PDB file of all heavy atoms in Angstrom:
ATOM      1  N   LEU V 237     -20.792  40.249  -9.884  1.00  0.00           N
ATOM      2  CA  LEU V 237     -22.195  40.112 -10.258  1.00  0.00           C
ATOM      3  C   LEU V 237     -22.734  38.698  -9.861  1.00  0.00           C
ATOM      4  O   LEU V 237     -23.913  38.494  -9.908  1.00  0.00           O
ATOM      5  CB  LEU V 237     -22.424  40.371 -11.739  1.00  0.00           C
ATOM      6  CG  LEU V 237     -22.177  41.862 -12.110  1.00  0.00           C
ATOM      7  CD1 LEU V 237     -22.491  42.075 -13.570  1.00  0.00           C
ATOM      8  CD2 LEU V 237     -22.987  42.852 -11.216  1.00  0.00           C
ATOM      9  N   PHE V 243     -20.928  41.681  -2.204  1.00  0.00           N
ATOM     10  CA  PHE V 243     -20.033  42.762  -2.539  1.00  0.00           C
ATOM     11  C   PHE V 243     -20.476  44.040  -1.874  1.00  0.00           C
ATOM     12  O   PHE V 243     -19.619  44.772  -1.344  1.00  0.00           O
ATOM     13  CB  PHE V 243     -19.988  42.941  -4.111  1.00  0.00           C
ATOM     14  CG  PHE V 243     -19.292  44.216  -4.515  1.00  0.00           C
ATOM     15  CD1 PHE V 243     -17.893  44.312  -4.386  1.00  0.00           C
ATOM     16  CD2 PHE V 243     -19.979  45.325  -4.953  1.00  0.00           C
ATOM     17  CE1 PHE V 243     -17.257  45.516  -4.802  1.00  0.00           C
ATOM     18  CE2 PHE V 243     -19.332  46.487  -5.391  1.00  0.00           C
ATOM     19  CZ  PHE V 243     -17.970  46.571  -5.246  1.00  0.00           C
ATOM     20  N   MET V 244     -21.738  44.356  -1.928  1.00  0.00           N
ATOM     21  CA  MET V 244     -22.236  45.597  -1.362  1.00  0.00           C
ATOM     22  C   MET V 244     -21.982  45.597   0.152  1.00  0.00           C
ATOM     23  O   MET V 244     -21.549  46.665   0.699  1.00  0.00           O
ATOM     24  CB  MET V 244     -23.738  45.774  -1.701  1.00  0.00           C
ATOM     25  CG  MET V 244     -24.008  45.992  -3.147  1.00  0.00           C
ATOM     26  SD  MET V 244     -23.155  47.377  -3.917  1.00  0.00           S
ATOM     27  CE  MET V 244     -24.149  48.716  -3.362  1.00  0.00           C
ATOM     28  N   ARG V 248     -18.976  48.096   2.055  1.00  0.00           N
ATOM     29  CA  ARG V 248     -19.478  49.193   2.903  1.00  0.00           C
ATOM     30  C   ARG V 248     -19.431  48.969   4.394  1.00  0.00           C
ATOM     31  O   ARG V 248     -19.614  49.909   5.179  1.00  0.00           O
ATOM     32  CB  ARG V 248     -20.955  49.431   2.519  1.00  0.00           C
ATOM     33  CG  ARG V 248     -21.058  49.963   1.119  1.00  0.00           C
ATOM     34  CD  ARG V 248     -22.414  50.556   0.927  1.00  0.00           C
ATOM     35  NE  ARG V 248     -22.375  51.370  -0.237  1.00  0.00           N
ATOM     36  CZ  ARG V 248     -23.409  51.553  -1.065  1.00  0.00           C
ATOM     37  NH1 ARG V 248     -24.521  50.941  -0.723  1.00  0.00           N
ATOM     38  NH2 ARG V 248     -23.316  52.310  -2.115  1.00  0.00           N
ATOM     39  N   GLY V 289     -12.270  53.057  -9.351  1.00  0.00           N
ATOM     40  CA  GLY V 289     -13.289  53.452 -10.359  1.00  0.00           C
ATOM     41  C   GLY V 289     -14.126  52.319 -10.802  1.00  0.00           C
ATOM     42  O   GLY V 289     -15.333  52.364 -10.989  1.00  0.00           O
ATOM     43  N   ALA V 290     -13.512  51.171 -10.998  1.00  0.00           N
ATOM     44  CA  ALA V 290     -14.222  49.986 -11.449  1.00  0.00           C
ATOM     45  C   ALA V 290     -15.213  49.587 -10.358  1.00  0.00           C
ATOM     46  O   ALA V 290     -16.367  49.238 -10.628  1.00  0.00           O
ATOM     47  CB  ALA V 290     -13.252  48.841 -11.762  1.00  0.00           C
ATOM     48  N   PHE V 291     -14.756  49.612  -9.124  1.00  0.00           N
ATOM     49  CA  PHE V 291     -15.707  49.339  -8.000  1.00  0.00           C
ATOM     50  C   PHE V 291     -16.853  50.219  -8.000  1.00  0.00           C
ATOM     51  O   PHE V 291     -18.012  49.880  -7.766  1.00  0.00           O
ATOM     52  CB  PHE V 291     -14.948  49.391  -6.646  1.00  0.00           C
ATOM     53  CG  PHE V 291     -14.153  48.186  -6.327  1.00  0.00           C
ATOM     54  CD1 PHE V 291     -12.901  48.358  -5.642  1.00  0.00           C
ATOM     55  CD2 PHE V 291     -14.537  46.889  -6.608  1.00  0.00           C
ATOM     56  CE1 PHE V 291     -12.137  47.257  -5.300  1.00  0.00           C
ATOM     57  CE2 PHE V 291     -13.771  45.762  -6.278  1.00  0.00           C
ATOM     58  CZ  PHE V 291     -12.549  45.969  -5.642  1.00  0.00           C
ATOM     59  N   ALA V 292     -16.604  51.528  -8.220  1.00  0.00           N
ATOM     60  CA  ALA V 292     -17.671  52.528  -8.202  1.00  0.00           C
ATOM     61  C   ALA V 292     -18.652  52.271  -9.347  1.00  0.00           C
ATOM     62  O   ALA V 292     -19.900  52.358  -9.101  1.00  0.00           O
ATOM     63  CB  ALA V 292     -17.104  53.948  -8.332  1.00  0.00           C
ATOM     64  N   VAL V 293     -18.211  51.940 -10.512  1.00  0.00           N
ATOM     65  CA  VAL V 293     -19.092  51.668 -11.624  1.00  0.00           C
ATOM     66  C   VAL V 293     -19.891  50.461 -11.365  1.00  0.00           C
ATOM     67  O   VAL V 293     -21.143  50.447 -11.599  1.00  0.00           O
ATOM     68  CB  VAL V 293     -18.291  51.491 -12.931  1.00  0.00           C
ATOM     69  CG1 VAL V 293     -19.159  50.911 -14.070  1.00  0.00           C
ATOM     70  CG2 VAL V 293     -17.680  52.821 -13.354  1.00  0.00           C
ATOM     71  N   ILE V 294     -19.313  49.373 -10.833  1.00  0.00           N
ATOM     72  CA  ILE V 294     -20.053  48.157 -10.501  1.00  0.00           C
ATOM     73  C   ILE V 294     -21.049  48.372  -9.387  1.00  0.00           C
ATOM     74  O   ILE V 294     -22.214  47.952  -9.492  1.00  0.00           O
ATOM     75  CB  ILE V 294     -19.067  46.987 -10.152  1.00  0.00           C
ATOM     76  CG1 ILE V 294     -18.182  46.660 -11.372  1.00  0.00           C
ATOM     77  CG2 ILE V 294     -19.815  45.751  -9.710  1.00  0.00           C
ATOM     78  CD1 ILE V 294     -17.023  45.757 -11.103  1.00  0.00           C
ATOM     79  N   ARG V 295     -20.641  49.137  -8.378  1.00  0.00           N
ATOM     80  CA  ARG V 295     -21.569  49.434  -7.281  1.00  0.00           C
ATOM     81  C   ARG V 295     -22.739  50.232  -7.832  1.00  0.00           C
ATOM     82  O   ARG V 295     -23.894  49.934  -7.463  1.00  0.00           O
ATOM     83  CB  ARG V 295     -20.830  50.270  -6.206  1.00  0.00           C
ATOM     84  CG  ARG V 295     -21.619  50.464  -4.918  1.00  0.00           C
ATOM     85  CD  ARG V 295     -20.868  51.229  -3.850  1.00  0.00           C
ATOM     86  NE  ARG V 295     -19.696  50.468  -3.403  1.00  0.00           N
ATOM     87  CZ  ARG V 295     -18.444  50.860  -3.609  1.00  0.00           C
ATOM     88  NH1 ARG V 295     -18.156  51.942  -4.213  1.00  0.00           N
ATOM     89  NH2 ARG V 295     -17.466  50.090  -3.182  1.00  0.00           N
ATOM     90  N   ASP V 296     -22.547  51.203  -8.688  1.00  0.00           N
ATOM     91  CA  ASP V 296     -23.622  51.998  -9.287  1.00  0.00           C
ATOM     92  C   ASP V 296     -24.546  51.070 -10.082  1.00  0.00           C
ATOM     93  O   ASP V 296     -25.788  51.182 -10.011  1.00  0.00           O
ATOM     94  CB  ASP V 296     -23.083  53.120 -10.119  1.00  0.00           C
ATOM     95  CG  ASP V 296     -24.141  53.957 -10.728  1.00  0.00           C
ATOM     96  OD1 ASP V 296     -24.874  54.619  -9.947  1.00  0.00           O
ATOM     97  OD2 ASP V 296     -24.284  54.000 -11.969  1.00  0.00           O
ATOM     98  N   HIS V 297     -23.947  50.184 -10.790  1.00  0.00           N
ATOM     99  CA  HIS V 297     -24.732  49.225 -11.602  1.00  0.00           C
ATOM    100  C   HIS V 297     -25.669  48.388 -10.706  1.00  0.00           C
ATOM    101  O   HIS V 297     -26.818  48.180 -11.034  1.00  0.00           O
ATOM    102  CB  HIS V 297     -23.748  48.296 -12.366  1.00  0.00           C
ATOM    103  CG  HIS V 297     -24.418  47.148 -13.072  1.00  0.00           C
ATOM    104  ND1 HIS V 297     -24.960  47.319 -14.336  1.00  0.00           N
ATOM    105  CD2 HIS V 297     -24.605  45.894 -12.724  1.00  0.00           C
ATOM    106  CE1 HIS V 297     -25.486  46.152 -14.734  1.00  0.00           C
ATOM    107  NE2 HIS V 297     -25.278  45.264 -13.785  1.00  0.00           N
ATOM    108  N   ILE V 298     -25.123  47.925  -9.579  1.00  0.00           N
ATOM    109  CA  ILE V 298     -25.929  47.092  -8.684  1.00  0.00           C
ATOM    110  C   ILE V 298     -27.004  47.959  -8.001  1.00  0.00           C
ATOM    111  O   ILE V 298     -28.166  47.556  -7.951  1.00  0.00           O
ATOM    112  CB  ILE V 298     -24.983  46.480  -7.635  1.00  0.00           C
ATOM    113  CG1 ILE V 298     -24.103  45.449  -8.283  1.00  0.00           C
ATOM    114  CG2 ILE V 298     -25.823  45.799  -6.496  1.00  0.00           C
ATOM    115  CD1 ILE V 298     -22.932  44.969  -7.385  1.00  0.00           C
ATOM    116  N   GLU V 299     -26.642  49.158  -7.502  1.00  0.00           N
ATOM    117  CA  GLU V 299     -27.580  50.017  -6.771  1.00  0.00           C
ATOM    118  C   GLU V 299     -28.752  50.426  -7.641  1.00  0.00           C
ATOM    119  O   GLU V 299     -29.862  50.552  -7.187  1.00  0.00           O
ATOM    120  CB  GLU V 299     -26.867  51.250  -6.226  1.00  0.00           C
ATOM    121  CG  GLU V 299     -26.032  50.909  -5.029  1.00  0.00           C
ATOM    122  CD  GLU V 299     -25.256  52.123  -4.553  1.00  0.00           C
ATOM    123  OE1 GLU V 299     -25.011  53.076  -5.385  1.00  0.00           O
ATOM    124  OE2 GLU V 299     -24.896  52.117  -3.358  1.00  0.00           O
ATOM    125  N   THR V 300     -28.493  50.754  -8.915  1.00  0.00           N
ATOM    126  CA  THR V 300     -29.557  51.240  -9.778  1.00  0.00           C
ATOM    127  C   THR V 300     -30.305  50.077 -10.484  1.00  0.00           C
ATOM    128  O   THR V 300     -31.210  50.372 -11.204  1.00  0.00           O
ATOM    129  CB  THR V 300     -28.955  52.172 -10.867  1.00  0.00           C
ATOM    130  OG1 THR V 300     -27.993  51.497 -11.667  1.00  0.00           O
ATOM    131  CG2 THR V 300     -28.361  53.410 -10.197  1.00  0.00           C
ATOM    132  N   ARG V 301     -29.813  48.888 -10.191  1.00  0.00           N
ATOM    133  CA  ARG V 301     -30.423  47.687 -10.831  1.00  0.00           C
ATOM    134  C   ARG V 301     -30.496  47.875 -12.337  1.00  0.00           C
ATOM    135  O   ARG V 301     -31.457  47.609 -13.005  1.00  0.00           O
ATOM    136  CB  ARG V 301     -31.835  47.392 -10.318  1.00  0.00           C
ATOM    137  CG  ARG V 301     -31.861  47.125  -8.824  1.00  0.00           C
ATOM    138  CD  ARG V 301     -33.208  46.698  -8.368  1.00  0.00           C
ATOM    139  NE  ARG V 301     -33.548  46.652  -6.987  1.00  0.00           N
ATOM    140  CZ  ARG V 301     -32.813  46.291  -5.932  1.00  0.00           C
ATOM    141  NH1 ARG V 301     -31.604  45.865  -6.112  1.00  0.00           N
ATOM    142  NH2 ARG V 301     -33.331  46.266  -4.709  1.00  0.00           N
ATOM    143  N   ALA V 302     -29.352  48.396 -12.840  1.00  0.00           N
ATOM    144  CA  ALA V 302     -29.268  48.655 -14.276  1.00  0.00           C
ATOM    145  C   ALA V 302     -29.428  47.393 -15.100  1.00  0.00           C
ATOM    146  O   ALA V 302     -29.007  46.321 -14.686  1.00  0.00           O
ATOM    147  CB  ALA V 302     -27.866  49.284 -14.566  1.00  0.00           C
ATOM    148  N   ALA V 303     -30.052  47.504 -16.222  1.00  0.00           N
ATOM    149  CA  ALA V 303     -30.208  46.424 -17.115  1.00  0.00           C
ATOM    150  C   ALA V 303     -29.092  46.242 -18.079  1.00  0.00           C
ATOM    151  O   ALA V 303     -29.192  45.480 -19.028  1.00  0.00           O
ATOM    152  CB  ALA V 303     -31.512  46.641 -17.869  1.00  0.00           C
ATOM    153  N   THR V 304     -27.997  46.932 -17.816  1.00  0.00           N
ATOM    154  CA  THR V 304     -26.800  46.829 -18.646  1.00  0.00           C
ATOM    155  C   THR V 304     -26.318  45.413 -18.693  1.00  0.00           C
ATOM    156  O   THR V 304     -26.117  44.776 -17.658  1.00  0.00           O
ATOM    157  CB  THR V 304     -25.768  47.749 -18.117  1.00  0.00           C
ATOM    158  OG1 THR V 304     -26.268  49.017 -17.899  1.00  0.00           O
ATOM    159  CG2 THR V 304     -24.537  47.804 -19.047  1.00  0.00           C
ATOM    160  N   LEU V 309     -20.900  46.499 -19.559  1.00  0.00           N
ATOM    161  CA  LEU V 309     -20.210  46.971 -18.322  1.00  0.00           C
ATOM    162  C   LEU V 309     -18.739  46.697 -18.409  1.00  0.00           C
ATOM    163  O   LEU V 309     -17.918  47.564 -18.078  1.00  0.00           O
ATOM    164  CB  LEU V 309     -20.828  46.174 -17.125  1.00  0.00           C
ATOM    165  CG  LEU V 309     -20.475  46.657 -15.699  1.00  0.00           C
ATOM    166  CD1 LEU V 309     -20.780  48.153 -15.541  1.00  0.00           C
ATOM    167  CD2 LEU V 309     -21.139  45.780 -14.683  1.00  0.00           C
ATOM    168  N   ARG V 312     -17.267  49.301 -20.728  1.00  0.00           N
ATOM    169  CA  ARG V 312     -17.202  50.608 -20.091  1.00  0.00           C
ATOM    170  C   ARG V 312     -16.005  50.665 -19.109  1.00  0.00           C
ATOM    171  O   ARG V 312     -15.282  51.695 -19.128  1.00  0.00           O
ATOM    172  CB  ARG V 312     -18.518  50.826 -19.259  1.00  0.00           C
ATOM    173  CG  ARG V 312     -18.559  52.126 -18.547  1.00  0.00           C
ATOM    174  CD  ARG V 312     -19.885  52.331 -17.864  1.00  0.00           C
ATOM    175  NE  ARG V 312     -19.806  53.519 -17.030  1.00  0.00           N
ATOM    176  CZ  ARG V 312     -20.665  53.823 -16.088  1.00  0.00           C
ATOM    177  NH1 ARG V 312     -21.681  52.977 -15.858  1.00  0.00           N
ATOM    178  NH2 ARG V 312     -20.538  54.861 -15.387  1.00  0.00           N
TER     179      ARG V 312
END
Side-chain angles (χ1 to χ4, degrees):
L237 293 184
F243 169 74
M244 295 301 284
R248 292 196 165 149
F291 281 143
V293 168
I294 295 169
R295 188 178 296 114
D296 181 63
H297 173 81
I298 294 167
E299 286 176 335
T300 61
R301 300 189 194 317
T304 309
L309 191 56
R312 181 176 172 198

